[in-house]
Amino acid sequence: MTDSASMTMPPRVLGMLGGGQLGRMSALAAYRLGLEVVGLFPDDDAPLSQVCPSIIQADYLDFGALDDLVARCDAITLEFENIPYEALSYLARSGKLRPGADLVGLTQDRLSEKQAIERAGLKPAPYRQIDSARDLAQALSDLGGQGILKTRRLGYDGKGQQRISDADDLEAVWQGFNQPCILEGLVDFSWEGSVIVARRPGGVQLQAFPLVENRHENHILSETLAPAPQANSDLAQEAERQARVLAESLGLEGLLGIEFFVTASGLVVNEMAPRPHNSGHWSQAGASVDQFEQHVRAVMDLPLGHPSVVCPTRMVNLLGTAALEHQRWLEQEAAQLHLYGKRSVKEGRKMGHVNILEPNGFDPS
Ligand code: AMP
């Protein structure tokens, strides 16, 4: 017989690059599974710091700090993709970084991201590479006289992008950007959706969350409806299939959020993110496993959950000053409030979200 008094549970430790709300919610899920978390980020007042006692506060390119993280962790993941590639490739040498540096690196650049989507046999928005005003004029004429000019790097929530047409002064537009860009043709979509997929190292298991519908205001996600009320089962299956194909093609180890435009001629992939995604927050209330736990399971190489819808759920982002009125949500029986502990309220800043259970489905508005 084994002497149970002498048995121990060895600690299992997850490293988290980035200290934002996605890291905070992933850490809370990790604690639920009995794991320890070490966060590494430069910020003073990060949402993750408030829940995580083990923080290495350092620049991402502080290689001594990265060595420390590697020494303390069984696996290392990230909660935002714009960690310098040099830091990612340094960490990747330990064999502990998930997703891998190459996958994360290609999502840092809209051009390589689109090329990866095409390599997987999927369809991105039509695009051209832009490095000059002359490229811009040619691309506009190729793409029907209008489009959205986007910086290749560091754009998010509509930042670093501008809608333009051939009536604009293209020289002036280009001077305003003056960095590597792409021009995207305007996609005529009827609605926007997304799928989140998790894949374990080596691809031993892969699980996709159902297709959801996303609504934006000022280019920022405002609401997610899960599962997507406008999707028939063929479309929902096709979106899941495409998400799986992309995850396999990229050799994903971890979580990937894939945004789609739904058009009359099928799905167009907008963009992807190698981490938990805002459009997956609904799963904390409405699914059999939430995306943050699935993220942790995937990167720690634990069996994945089988995500199924337990209750249709509407996720509403609390942006900027909307968070100041959060108490009204506490009075609603079917609403679950999440605040990220951010003190400074800025317009459009993601301060929290609410998951509202809709057992009778969504009203059509
Ligand atoms: P992004 O940050 O690139 O996802 O863009 C933010 C939002 O702008 C998207 O969710 C769409 O609502 C809109 N958008 C971006 N690119 C296009 C496009 N090529 N055609 C039409 N709408 C777009």
Side-chain angles (χ1 to χ4, degrees):
M1 220 173 86
T2 327
D3 175 7
S4 62
S6 67
M7 289 170 73
T8 53
M9 293 259 284
R12 298 263 293 148
V13 186
L14 173 63
M16 179 63 67
L17 298 166
Q21 65 267 17
L22 303 175
R24 171 180 167 122
M25 291 186 278
S26 294
L28 293 173
Y31 293 135
R32 217 164 50 221
L33 296 177
L35 304 171
E36 292 176 21
V37 179
V38 180
L40 187 151
F41 43 84
D43 319 61
D44 276 330
D45 192 17
L48 178 58
S49 308
Q50 298 165 353
V51 303
C52 179
S54 308
I55 299 295
I56 302 170
Q57 190 176 2
D59 191 90
Y60 294 117
L61 288 169
D62 177 338
F63 294 97
L66 298 181
D67 287 340
D68 186 17
L69 187 71
V70 168
R72 290 165 69 178
C73 297
D74 296 287
I76 298 166
T77 191
L78 46 96
E79 62 101 43
F80 94 120
E81 56 275 33
N82 287 317
I83 311 277
Y85 182 75
E86 217 183 325
L88 296 172
S89 59
Y90 185 81
L91 288 169
R93 282 190 241 150
S94 69
K96 295 181 179 180
L97 182 69
R98 296 170 185 157
D102 289 348
L103 193 168
V104 179
L106 73 81
T107 66
Q108 294 177 345
D109 179 342
R110 288 188 189 272
L111 180 63
S112 55
E113 180 176 281
K114 292 215 183 315
Q115 290 165 341
I117 292 165
E118 289 174 318
R119 271 198 305 278
L122 307 181
K123 192 172 156 192
Y127 68 96
R128 293 288 184 277
Q129 180 176 347
I130 307 293
D131 294 301
S132 65
R134 191 200 295 193
D135 289 347
L136 197 50
Q138 178 62 49
L140 267 176
S141 109
D142 292 351
L143 298 174
Q146 49 181 344
I148 305 181
L149 185 62
K150 301 183 178 182
T151 58
R152 279 172 54 181
R153 291 183 172 274
L154 297 174
Y156 66 96
D157 288 346
K159 294 191 175 70
Q161 46 180 278
Q162 185 180 335
R163 198 168 158 157
I164 59 168
S165 82
D166 46 16
D168 290 317
D169 175 349
L170 299 184
E171 193 61 54
V173 170
W174 175 249
Q175 285 316 318
F177 279 75
N178 211 15
Q179 61 176 300
C181 286
I182 58 165
L183 182 74
E184 280 184 25
L186 284 185
V187 176
D188 182 16
F189 60 85
S190 42
W191 53 279
E192 294 182 76
S194 58
V195 171
I196 290 163
V197 63
R199 184 175 178 272
R200 274 175 79 177
V204 294
Q205 204 187 0
L206 191 151
Q207 290 286 345
F209 284 83
L211 175 66
V212 301
E213 177 176 337
N214 298 320
R215 298 179 179 174
H216 296 83
E217 269 170 40
N218 304 321
H219 300 280
I220 304 177
L221 183 71
S222 62
E223 268 191 25
T224 294
L225 307 184
Q230 301 195 56
N232 62 27
S233 66
D234 284 353
L235 181 71
Q237 273 175 28
E238 175 59 14
E240 269 186 44
R241 186 194 69 79
Q242 292 198 10
R244 286 166 186 272
V245 165
L246 200 48
E248 286 295 354
S249 161
L250 294 167
L252 173 68
E253 296 181 340
L255 206 66
L256 186 73
I258 300 136
E259 296 178 29
F260 294 102
F261 297 120
V262 180
T263 78
S265 56
L267 292 168
V268 171
V269 180
N270 175 16
E271 58 182 9
M272 57 186 166
R275 50 161 172 78
H277 194 261
N278 195 169
S279 70
H281 293 2
W282 70 275
S283 58
Q284 294 169 310
S288 51
V289 60
D290 75 64
Q291 67 157 348
F292 300 103
E293 183 173 328
Q294 195 78 316
H295 177 210
V296 171
R297 291 195 201 193
V299 299
M300 294 301 285
D301 202 9
L302 298 168
L304 299 178
H306 296 253
S308 58
V309 179
V310 174
C311 182
T313 301
R314 178 191 301 268
M315 189 284 307
V316 177
N317 264 342
L318 299 181
L319 302 173
T321 51
L324 298 174
E325 285 157 36
H326 62 270
Q327 287 200 16
R328 76 185 178 88
W329 294 105
L330 295 174
E331 289 159 15
Q332 284 203 21
E333 198 185 327
Q336 300 177 6
L337 175 68
H338 296 254
L339 291 175
Y340 308 145
K342 297 179 182 175
R343 300 283 161 253
S344 139
V345 180
K346 292 186 200 129
E347 196 192 335
R349 190 174 196 204
K350 292 175 178 169
M351 305 294 294
H353 67 273
V354 190
N355 286 323
I356 305 149
L357 299 174
E358 306 264 7
N360 302 320
F362 305 104
D363 79 51
S365 56

